Amino acid sequence: MGKRFKVNYRIPFYESDINHQIKLPHLLSFALQVSGLQSEELGNTDEFILEKYNLVWVITDYELEIERLPNYAETIEVETEAIAYNKLFCYRKFFIYGQDGQKIIDISSTFVLMDYDSRKVVSVKEAIVEPYGSEKIKKIIRGPKYDSLDDSAEQVLFHVRYLDLDMNGHVNNSKYLEWMYEAMDLDFLKQHIPKKIQLKYLKEIHYGKDILSLIQRDGLSTKHEIRSDQGLHAQALIEWRLKEGDQDDL
Amino acid sequence: MGKRFKVNYRIPFYESDINHQIKLPHLLSFALQVSGLQSEELGNTDEFILEKYNLVWVITDYELEIERLPNYAETIEVETEAIAYNKLFCYRKFFIYGQDGQKIIDISSTFVLMDYDSRKVVSVKEAIVEPYGSEKIKKIIRGPKYDSLDDSAEQVLFHVRYLDLDMNGHVNNSKYLEWMYEAMDLDFLKQHIPKKIQLKYLKEIHYGKDILSLIQRDGLSTKHEIRSDQGLHAQALIEWRLKEGDQDDL
């Protein structure tokens, strides 16, 4: 068991969507902030590992199981725990609890360490993961198989914007999910909420690039890809449910 | 003197720009959140005035005087005070203090009350403004004169996105400033920070619309317009300074 760390957060107006629930890409950003705060508490900040080892943390995979989304003005608790690591991957969980104390979202994430200059993944350094008290394992946790989308996929064009960039000049992780959302019908987004999201990051995107957000929908399942002229950058599988509880499994 | 209300806020990674400073549109969103929290403390929430009077607050003008922008991970204090009101307009200030306690940003804002259904501005109701303890004045505070941009202005096209919408299905105020930023050169934005911003909102924008962000630059001054096929939606004047302090007034 790794060390757990948690933060309370009240969903602000400006991060609430037309369904009066948190904008999901923002929840991913906030969760990442919580793991950053844990690193800070443990004296193991991103700045420290960049200075000492020239390494940065990069997320490769997310899996979200969503019971319900937090509502506008609800005070949630975001808890995180570094669960385990192997030679290359570090596995971290995030648990979101609603105002009533019930767990409403469970997030599994996979991180790797990347050399800041070469942008190559390096093996996990014990000194970097030791403070979190997570378990060393041999097993590699595999994500789902993401089939390639075919020509019937809808495509929506986006341009990487200045405010999409983070402090390091890279496109913020949460933007990929934003582009996936933006490729969907407004009516579908008004009537459905995500139940399960699997998301894989493959390659960084740079400022000024044009990207395509591809979507293929089959009932309550959608498949997504983010592509540019440099190839595939991210893939996702999303299962949706109707907003009204009774009709969940139609 | 109106009642003052303040909140501490630590600038998160995901709202920091490539200059390692807060993304300014986000600061406007957060300031607005602080005035919402004051209303809540006074039992005078937006929800309450919507239910009781069918009215909503709408911002018409901002003026920001910026000494410096808050840095990533800096804990700032955001203080607000409803200064005064007349027959139609309510004037509210926001003061941003840096971690060292110095005032770094001064924001003046103008609000009106609008009927939720007719979208028409109505006169200020005493019962709504009374809790803030602000002064009734006769004077109308005038903003600057915004000249129309001519044909030499650069134009950048944007599409109003799903995640641009707030809980009420309207485009969030801070998006207009985002579009103005996005019409500027990356190199200029890397080398300059805003010193003074005057911003006027004229008309709401709806989902799915195409908008044009127009910009005209003259040295360290820029003029901005947000237009659609329905006309002019917002105008701004921004004065910039070079990032290095010594060359401020070139």
Side-chain angles (χ1 to χ4, degrees), chain A residues 161 163, chain B residues 25 28-29 58-59 62 158 160 164-166 170-183 197 199-207 211-214 224-228 231-236 238:
Chain A
R161 298 180 181 176
L163 291 164
Chain B
L28 286 188
S29 292
V58 173
I59 293 178
Y62 273 122
F158 294 98
V160 178
D164 293 340
L165 302 180
D166 65 21
H170 300 127
V171 173
N172 198 300
N173 261 310
S174 68
K175 294 293 161 187
Y176 297 70
L177 186 56
E178 287 192 14
W179 291 322
M180 291 172 182
Y181 261 73
E182 295 298 348
I197 299 180
L199 179 54
K200 185 170 195 62
Y201 297 104
L202 296 155
K203 204 189 298 180
E204 293 176 306
I205 303 178
H206 299 285
Y207 174 76
I211 69 100
L212 284 174
S213 178
L214 283 80
H224 302 263
E225 287 183 3
I226 303 298
R227 287 189 198 163
S228 78
L232 191 59
H233 294 271
Q235 291 171 294
I238 309 184

Coordinates of all heavy atoms in Angstrom, one line a residue, chain A residues 161 163, chain B residues 25 28-29 58-59 62 158 160 164-166 170-183 197 199-207 211-214 224-228 231-236 238:
Chain A
R161 N -3.8 25.6 -29.7 CA -3.8 27.0 -29.4 C -2.7 27.3 -28.3 O -2.3 26.5 -27.5 CB -5.2 27.4 -28.9 CG -6.3 27.2 -29.9 CD -7.6 27.6 -29.3 NE -8.7 27.5 -30.2 CZ -10.0 27.7 -29.8 NH1 -10.3 28.1 -28.6 NH2 -11.0 27.5 -30.7
L163 N -3.2 28.9 -25.5 CA -3.6 28.5 -24.1 C -3.8 27.0 -23.9 O -4.1 26.6 -22.7 CB -4.9 29.3 -23.8 CG -4.7 30.8 -23.6 CD1 -6.0 31.6 -23.7 CD2 -4.0 31.2 -22.3
Chain B
P25 N -7.1 34.7 -18.6 CA -8.6 34.5 -18.7 C -9.1 33.7 -17.4 O -10.2 33.9 -16.9 CB -8.8 33.7 -19.9 CG -7.6 34.1 -20.8 CD -6.5 34.3 -19.9
L28 N -9.7 35.9 -14.4 CA -11.0 36.6 -14.5 C -12.1 35.6 -14.0 O -13.0 36.0 -13.3 CB -11.3 37.0 -15.9 CG -10.6 38.3 -16.4 CD1 -11.2 38.7 -17.8 CD2 -10.7 39.4 -15.5
S29 N -12.0 34.3 -14.4 CA -13.0 33.3 -14.0 C -12.9 33.2 -12.5 O -13.9 33.1 -11.8 CB -12.7 32.0 -14.6 OG -12.9 32.0 -16.0
V58 N -24.9 40.1 -15.3 CA -24.1 40.1 -16.5 C -23.0 41.2 -16.4 O -23.3 42.3 -16.0 CB -25.0 40.3 -17.8 CG1 -24.2 40.5 -19.0 CG2 -26.0 39.2 -17.9
I59 N -21.8 40.8 -16.8 CA -20.7 41.7 -16.8 C -20.7 42.5 -18.1 O -20.8 41.9 -19.2 CB -19.4 41.0 -16.6 CG1 -19.3 40.4 -15.2 CG2 -18.2 42.0 -16.8 CD1 -18.0 39.7 -14.9
Y62 N -14.7 45.4 -18.1 CA -13.6 45.1 -17.2 C -12.5 46.2 -17.4 O -12.3 46.5 -18.6 CB -13.0 43.8 -17.5 CG -13.6 42.6 -16.8 CD1 -14.0 41.5 -17.5 CD2 -13.6 42.5 -15.4 CE1 -14.6 40.4 -16.9 CE2 -14.1 41.3 -14.8 CZ -14.6 40.3 -15.5 OH -15.1 39.2 -14.9
F158 N -12.7 31.3 -35.1 CA -12.9 30.3 -34.1 C -14.3 29.8 -34.2 O -15.2 30.5 -34.7 CB -12.6 30.9 -32.7 CG -11.2 31.2 -32.4 CD1 -10.8 32.5 -32.6 CD2 -10.3 30.3 -32.1 CE1 -9.4 32.9 -32.4 CE2 -8.9 30.6 -31.9 CZ -8.5 31.9 -32.0
V160 N -17.4 28.3 -31.7 CA -17.8 28.2 -30.3 C -18.0 26.7 -30.0 O -18.7 26.0 -30.6 CB -19.1 29.0 -30.0 CG1 -19.5 28.8 -28.5 CG2 -18.8 30.4 -30.3
D164 N -16.8 25.5 -24.1 CA -16.8 27.0 -24.0 C -18.1 27.4 -23.2 O -18.2 28.5 -22.7 CB -16.8 27.7 -25.3 CG -15.5 27.5 -26.1 OD1 -14.5 27.1 -25.5 OD2 -15.5 27.7 -27.3
L165 N -19.1 26.5 -23.1 CA -20.4 26.9 -22.6 C -20.4 26.7 -21.1 O -19.8 25.8 -20.5 CB -21.5 26.0 -23.2 CG -21.6 26.1 -24.7 CD1 -22.8 25.2 -25.1 CD2 -21.9 27.5 -25.1
D166 N -21.0 27.6 -20.4 CA -21.2 27.5 -18.9 C -22.5 26.7 -18.6 O -23.2 26.2 -19.5 CB -21.0 28.8 -18.2 CG -22.2 29.7 -18.5 OD1 -23.3 29.3 -19.0 OD2 -22.0 31.0 -18.4
H170 N -24.4 29.5 -21.9 CA -23.8 30.7 -22.5 C -22.3 30.5 -22.6 O -21.7 29.8 -21.8 CB -24.2 31.9 -21.7 CG -25.6 32.1 -21.6 ND1 -26.3 32.3 -20.4 CD2 -26.6 32.1 -22.6 CE1 -27.6 32.4 -20.6 NE2 -27.8 32.3 -21.9
V171 N -21.7 31.3 -23.5 CA -20.3 31.3 -23.6 C -19.7 32.0 -22.4 O -20.1 33.1 -22.1 CB -19.8 32.0 -24.9 CG1 -18.3 32.1 -24.9 CG2 -20.2 31.2 -26.1
N172 N -18.8 31.3 -21.7 CA -18.2 31.9 -20.5 C -17.5 33.2 -20.8 O -16.8 33.3 -21.8 CB -17.2 30.8 -19.9 CG -16.9 31.1 -18.5 OD1 -16.3 32.1 -18.2 ND2 -17.2 30.2 -17.6
N173 N -17.6 34.2 -20.0 CA -17.0 35.5 -20.2 C -15.5 35.4 -20.5 O -15.0 36.2 -21.3 CB -17.1 36.3 -18.9 CG -18.2 37.3 -18.9 OD1 -18.3 38.0 -19.9 ND2 -19.1 37.3 -17.9
S174 N -14.8 34.5 -19.8 CA -13.3 34.5 -20.0 C -12.9 34.0 -21.4 O -11.8 34.2 -21.8 CB -12.7 33.6 -18.9 OG -13.1 32.2 -19.2
K175 N -13.8 33.4 -22.1 CA -13.5 32.9 -23.5 C -13.2 34.0 -24.4 O -12.4 33.8 -25.4 CB -14.7 32.0 -24.0 CG -14.9 30.8 -23.3 CD -13.8 29.8 -23.4 CE -13.9 28.7 -22.3 NZ -12.7 27.9 -22.3
Y176 N -13.9 35.1 -24.3 CA -13.6 36.3 -25.2 C -12.2 36.7 -25.1 O -11.5 37.0 -26.1 CB -14.6 37.4 -24.8 CG -16.0 37.2 -25.0 CD1 -16.7 36.3 -24.1 CD2 -16.8 37.8 -26.0 CE1 -18.1 36.1 -24.2 CE2 -18.1 37.6 -26.1 CZ -18.8 36.7 -25.2 OH -20.1 36.5 -25.3
L177 N -11.7 36.8 -23.9 CA -10.3 37.2 -23.7 C -9.4 36.1 -24.2 O -8.3 36.4 -24.8 CB -10.0 37.4 -22.2 CG -8.6 38.0 -21.9 CD1 -8.3 39.3 -22.6 CD2 -8.5 38.2 -20.4
E178 N -9.8 34.8 -24.1 CA -9.0 33.7 -24.7 C -8.9 33.9 -26.2 O -7.8 33.8 -26.8 CB -9.6 32.4 -24.4 CG -9.5 31.9 -23.0 CD -9.9 30.4 -22.8 OE1 -10.0 29.7 -23.8 OE2 -10.1 30.1 -21.6
W179 N -10.0 34.2 -26.9 CA -10.0 34.4 -28.3 C -9.1 35.5 -28.7 O -8.4 35.5 -29.8 CB -11.4 34.5 -28.9 CG -12.2 33.3 -28.8 CD1 -11.8 32.0 -29.0 CD2 -13.6 33.3 -28.5 NE1 -12.9 31.2 -28.9 CE2 -14.0 31.9 -28.5 CE3 -14.6 34.2 -28.2 CZ2 -15.3 31.5 -28.3 CZ3 -15.9 33.8 -28.0 CH2 -16.3 32.4 -28.0
M180 N -9.1 36.6 -27.9 CA -8.2 37.8 -28.2 C -6.8 37.3 -28.1 O -6.0 37.7 -28.9 CB -8.6 38.9 -27.2 CG -9.9 39.5 -27.5 SD -10.4 40.7 -26.2 CE -12.1 41.1 -26.8
Y181 N -6.4 36.6 -27.0 CA -5.1 36.1 -26.9 C -4.7 35.2 -28.1 O -3.6 35.3 -28.6 CB -4.9 35.3 -25.6 CG -4.3 36.0 -24.5 CD1 -5.1 37.0 -23.8 CD2 -3.0 35.8 -24.0 CE1 -4.5 37.7 -22.7 CE2 -2.5 36.5 -23.0 CZ -3.2 37.5 -22.3 OH -2.7 38.1 -21.3
E182 N -5.6 34.3 -28.5 CA -5.2 33.4 -29.5 C -5.0 34.0 -30.9 O -4.5 33.4 -31.8 CB -6.3 32.3 -29.6 CG -6.5 31.4 -28.4 CD -5.3 30.6 -28.0 OE1 -4.4 30.5 -28.9 OE2 -5.2 30.0 -26.9
A183 N -5.5 35.2 -31.1 CA -5.2 35.9 -32.3 C -3.9 36.5 -32.4 O -3.5 37.1 -33.4 CB -6.3 37.0 -32.6
I197 N -5.7 46.4 -19.4 CA -6.7 45.8 -20.3 C -8.0 46.5 -20.0 O -8.5 46.6 -18.9 CB -6.8 44.3 -20.0 CG1 -5.5 43.5 -20.3 CG2 -7.9 43.7 -20.9 CD1 -5.6 42.0 -20.1
L199 N -11.9 46.0 -21.5 CA -12.7 45.0 -22.2 C -14.2 45.3 -22.0 O -14.7 45.6 -20.9 CB -12.3 43.7 -21.5 CG -13.0 42.4 -22.0 CD1 -12.8 42.2 -23.5 CD2 -12.4 41.2 -21.3
K200 N -14.9 45.3 -23.2 CA -16.3 45.6 -23.2 C -17.1 44.5 -23.8 O -16.7 44.0 -24.9 CB -16.6 46.9 -23.9 CG -18.0 47.4 -23.9 CD -18.2 48.8 -24.5 CE -19.5 49.3 -24.1 NZ -19.7 49.5 -22.6
Y201 N -18.1 44.0 -23.1 CA -19.0 42.9 -23.7 C -20.2 43.6 -24.2 O -20.9 44.4 -23.5 CB -19.4 41.9 -22.6 CG -18.2 41.2 -22.0 CD1 -17.7 41.5 -20.7 CD2 -17.6 40.1 -22.7 CE1 -16.6 40.8 -20.2 CE2 -16.5 39.4 -22.2 CZ -16.0 39.8 -20.9 OH -15.0 39.1 -20.4
L202 N -20.6 43.2 -25.4 CA -21.8 43.9 -26.0 C -22.9 42.9 -26.3 O -24.1 43.3 -26.1 CB -21.3 44.5 -27.4 CG -20.3 45.6 -27.3 CD1 -19.5 45.7 -28.6 CD2 -20.9 46.9 -26.9
K203 N -22.6 41.7 -26.6 CA -23.7 40.8 -27.0 C -23.3 39.4 -26.8 O -22.1 39.0 -27.0 CB -23.9 41.0 -28.5 CG -25.3 40.6 -29.0 CD -25.4 40.6 -30.5 CE -25.1 42.0 -31.2 NZ -25.2 42.0 -32.6
E204 N -24.2 38.5 -26.3 CA -23.9 37.1 -26.1 C -23.6 36.4 -27.4 O -24.1 36.7 -28.4 CB -25.1 36.4 -25.4 CG -25.3 37.0 -24.0 CD -26.6 36.4 -23.4 OE1 -27.7 36.4 -24.0 OE2 -26.5 35.8 -22.3
I205 N -22.8 35.3 -27.2 CA -22.5 34.4 -28.4 C -23.1 33.0 -28.1 O -23.0 32.6 -26.9 CB -21.0 34.3 -28.6 CG1 -20.4 35.7 -28.8 CG2 -20.7 33.4 -29.8 CD1 -18.9 35.7 -29.0
H206 N -23.6 32.4 -29.1 CA -24.2 31.1 -28.9 C -23.4 29.9 -29.4 O -22.6 30.1 -30.3 CB -25.6 31.1 -29.4 CG -26.5 32.1 -28.7 ND1 -26.9 31.9 -27.4 CD2 -26.9 33.3 -29.1 CE1 -27.6 33.0 -27.0 NE2 -27.6 33.9 -28.0
Y207 N -23.7 28.7 -28.9 CA -23.0 27.5 -29.3 C -23.1 27.3 -30.8 O -24.1 27.5 -31.5 CB -23.7 26.3 -28.6 CG -23.1 25.0 -29.1 CD1 -21.8 24.5 -28.7 CD2 -23.8 24.2 -30.0 CE1 -21.3 23.3 -29.1 CE2 -23.3 23.0 -30.5 CZ -22.0 22.6 -30.0 OH -21.5 21.4 -30.5
I211 N -16.9 32.6 -34.9 CA -16.6 34.0 -34.5 C -15.2 34.4 -35.1 O -14.4 33.5 -35.4 CB -16.6 34.2 -33.0 CG1 -15.5 33.4 -32.3 CG2 -17.9 33.8 -32.3 CD1 -14.3 34.3 -31.9
L212 N -15.1 35.7 -35.3 CA -13.8 36.2 -35.7 C -13.1 37.0 -34.6 O -13.8 37.8 -34.0 CB -14.0 37.1 -36.9 CG -14.2 36.4 -38.3 CD1 -14.5 37.5 -39.3 CD2 -13.0 35.6 -38.7
S213 N -11.9 36.7 -34.4 CA -11.1 37.5 -33.4 C -10.2 38.4 -34.2 O -9.3 37.9 -34.9 CB -10.3 36.6 -32.5 OG -9.5 37.3 -31.6
L214 N -10.5 39.7 -34.1 CA -9.7 40.7 -34.9 C -8.7 41.4 -34.0 O -9.0 41.7 -32.9 CB -10.6 41.8 -35.5 CG -11.5 41.3 -36.7 CD1 -12.7 40.5 -36.3 CD2 -11.9 42.6 -37.5
H224 N -8.7 45.0 -30.0 CA -9.3 43.7 -30.3 C -10.8 43.8 -30.5 O -11.4 44.6 -29.9 CB -9.1 42.7 -29.2 CG -7.6 42.5 -28.8 ND1 -6.9 41.4 -29.3 CD2 -6.7 43.2 -28.1 CE1 -5.7 41.5 -28.9 NE2 -5.5 42.5 -28.1
E225 N -11.3 42.9 -31.4 CA -12.8 42.8 -31.5 C -13.1 41.3 -31.7 O -12.4 40.6 -32.3 CB -13.3 43.6 -32.8 CG -13.3 45.1 -32.6 CD -13.8 45.8 -33.8 OE1 -14.3 45.2 -34.8 OE2 -13.8 47.1 -33.8
I226 N -14.3 41.0 -31.1 CA -14.9 39.7 -31.4 C -16.2 39.9 -32.1 O -17.1 40.6 -31.6 CB -15.2 38.9 -30.0 CG1 -13.9 38.8 -29.2 CG2 -15.8 37.5 -30.3 CD1 -12.8 37.9 -29.8
R227 N -16.2 39.3 -33.3 CA -17.3 39.6 -34.2 C -17.9 38.2 -34.7 O -17.2 37.2 -34.8 CB -16.9 40.3 -35.5 CG -16.6 41.7 -35.3 CD -16.4 42.4 -36.7 NE -15.7 43.6 -36.6 CZ -15.1 44.3 -37.6 NH1 -15.1 43.7 -38.8 NH2 -14.5 45.4 -37.5
S228 N -19.2 38.2 -35.0 CA -19.8 37.1 -35.7 C -20.7 37.7 -36.8 O -20.8 38.9 -37.0 CB -20.7 36.2 -34.7 OG -21.9 36.9 -34.4
G231 N -22.8 40.5 -35.7 CA -22.2 41.8 -35.3 C -21.1 41.7 -34.3 O -20.4 40.7 -34.2
L232 N -21.0 42.8 -33.6 CA -19.9 43.0 -32.6 C -20.3 42.4 -31.3 O -21.3 42.8 -30.7 CB -19.5 44.5 -32.6 CG -18.3 44.9 -31.9 CD1 -17.0 44.3 -32.5 CD2 -18.2 46.4 -31.9
H233 N -19.4 41.5 -30.7 CA -19.7 40.9 -29.4 C -18.9 41.5 -28.3 O -19.3 41.5 -27.1 CB -19.6 39.4 -29.5 CG -20.5 38.8 -30.4 ND1 -21.8 38.3 -29.9 CD2 -20.5 38.5 -31.7 CE1 -22.5 37.8 -30.9 NE2 -21.7 37.9 -32.0
A234 N -17.6 41.9 -28.6 CA -16.7 42.4 -27.5 C -15.6 43.2 -28.2 O -15.3 43.0 -29.3 CB -16.2 41.2 -26.7
Q235 N -15.1 44.1 -27.4 CA -14.0 45.0 -27.8 C -13.0 45.1 -26.7 O -13.4 45.1 -25.5 CB -14.5 46.4 -28.1 CG -15.4 46.5 -29.3 CD -16.1 47.9 -29.4 OE1 -16.9 48.2 -28.5 NE2 -15.7 48.6 -30.4
A236 N -11.7 45.3 -27.0 CA -10.8 45.4 -26.0 C -9.6 46.3 -26.4 O -9.3 46.3 -27.6 CB -10.2 44.1 -25.5
I238 N -5.6 46.7 -25.2 CA -4.6 46.2 -24.2 C -3.3 46.9 -24.4 O -2.8 47.1 -25.6 CB -4.3 44.6 -24.5 CG1 -5.7 43.9 -24.5 CG2 -3.4 44.1 -23.4 CD1 -5.6 42.4 -24.6

